[in-house]
Amino acid sequence: MAENSQPPNNDNQQEIEELISSLPKEKWWRGSGLTLYQNFWVPSDFIRGVITLRRHFIGRDSNILLASKPKTGTTWLKALAFSVLHRAQFRPSVANANHPLCSSNPHDLVPFLEIMLNGQPAGHVPDMSGFTDLQLFATHVPYHFLPESIHQSQSRVIYICRNPLDTALSSWHFWAQANLEGGAGDWSMEEFFENFCKGLDFYGPFWDHLLSYWKASCERPERVLFLKYEDLKEDTARNLKRIAEFMGVPFSKEEELDGVVDQIVEMCSLSNLKELDVNKTGDIFGYENKTFFRKGEVGDWANYLSPSMVERLENIMKEKFSPFGLYFTLKKTS
Ligand code: PAP
């Protein structure tokens, strides 16, 4: 069966397992490695969920999908979008101890679709009955992995990206940290960087991932909002208003005057989330909650990447992104 066709019913379980075992694999720091599926390196632990999402998930008009390549601002975007969507029910304020962000990691509040679906029998139309009231989901898959039902529906997709230098650095820190907590052996920055440049990385190649959503946002700006981590850092309030408007729940003048926008910005800031007990302890997907909150700076790459690494990534950016009018201004932390 062609990979992009949508079977109306369940697939043959054996066909799925044969497909998976025929795909190229690579080792990774933790977990069961990476599997090359449709030109992207999918974590082997989630490959069944990714295939089920691609073939069988039924998107609804009301769905809002937060999409990203890992380490580009996913956790932050989840906190912001959740706070925006549920602001009538949960008053956003650092003083509101009853806000769900005080008791749950953002990843618990906005689940990854491919991880949710991973627990279900591979190749079967997923049983989403337990999730019918969920409107907000996240995903790390590239745009064209989303099922036809999402493309055809009125679903909205918000993609967050980040310059590749900080993304590479943040990813390496995450894996180095995760490694300390029980991973397999050392992996130097140089080795990680080499893999990253080759596209061998969680949901890599980085370039193709970004471009899949960039092109979609150019073609369907009313359905796909493309955000940059750097812009969100520079003016969080302005971009939060864009997010709310895109989600179909714009802030009213009264709310703005009441300081709701600023309260969400403050509540979802790295400094606030990082200090919450819920994010200092516990774990999710097998990783400690605290590993999702580090420095959150733009330009930290300058403290770690050698001039030749920077030049290499700049050249790749020029080659891959410039033809499509996508640019990053590279800032260094002072
Ligand atoms: P994920 O894809 O595994 O969920 P993701 O949240 O995309 O990770 O990326 C983590 C990065 O976002 C970390 O960046 P750093 O390594 O450069 O520090 C993390 O610190 C940053 N981050 C997490 N929460 C926030 C936040 N509230 N504001 C700004 N940056 C944040």
Side-chain angles (χ1 to χ4, degrees), residues 46-54 56-60 63-67 74 78 107 110-120 126-128 131 134-141 145-147 149-150 155-157 203 213 285:
F46 304 139
I47 184 72
R48 287 167 185 79
V50 167
I51 294 175
T52 302
L53 165 60
R54 184 148 193 249
H56 297 295
F57 179 71
I58 310 289
R60 287 178 295 151
N63 286 155
I64 298 170
L65 260 182
L66 309 180
T74 322
K78 284 185 177 188
H107 289 292
V110 185
F112 283 111
L113 269 176
E114 57 274 20
I115 298 184
M116 281 168 61
L117 299 177
N118 204 47
Q120 306 212 9
D127 173 10
M128 296 294 288
F131 307 107
L134 276 189
Q135 190 181 357
L136 201 54
F137 296 101
T139 186
H140 276 327
V141 303
F145 276 30
L146 299 178
S149 63
I150 288 191
S155 313
R156 276 164 270 207
V157 179
Y203 298 96
Y213 284 94
F285 331 126

Side-chain angles (χ1 to χ4, degrees), residues 70-76 107 162 170 229 268 292 294-296:
K71 305 299 147 199
T72 59
T74 322
T75 316
W76 190 14
H107 289 292
R162 190 178 191 184
S170 180
Y229 182 92
C268 298
F292 293 93
R294 197 181 65 93
K295 272 191 186 174

Side-chain angles (χ1 to χ4, degrees), residues 9-74:
N9 293 308
N10 296 337
D11 296 335
N12 179 329
Q13 184 81 28
Q14 195 185 339
E15 184 253 331
I16 297 284
E17 295 309 325
E18 280 171 8
L19 167 69
I20 293 171
S21 63
S22 72
L23 298 171
K25 315 262 185 317
E26 282 285 344
K27 286 201 182 107
W28 194 249
W29 250 326
R30 284 184 65 165
S32 54
L34 302 180
T35 297
L36 187 65
Y37 176 63
Q38 302 282 314
N39 301 322
F40 281 87
W41 288 103
V42 172
S44 303
D45 294 334
F46 304 139
I47 184 72
R48 287 167 185 79
V50 167
I51 294 175
T52 302
L53 165 60
R54 184 148 193 249
R55 291 186 177 185
H56 297 295
F57 179 71
I58 310 289
R60 287 178 295 151
D61 288 342
S62 59
N63 286 155
I64 298 170
L65 260 182
L66 309 180
S68 60
K69 172 93 176 49
K71 305 299 147 199
T72 59
T74 322

Side-chain angles (χ1 to χ4, degrees), residues 170-190:
S170 180
S171 306
W172 178 72
H173 269 292
F174 179 80
W175 292 110
Q177 170 86 18
N179 200 30
L180 289 177
E181 315 294 339
D186 291 334
W187 206 359
S188 66
M189 175 71 198
E190 286 70 23

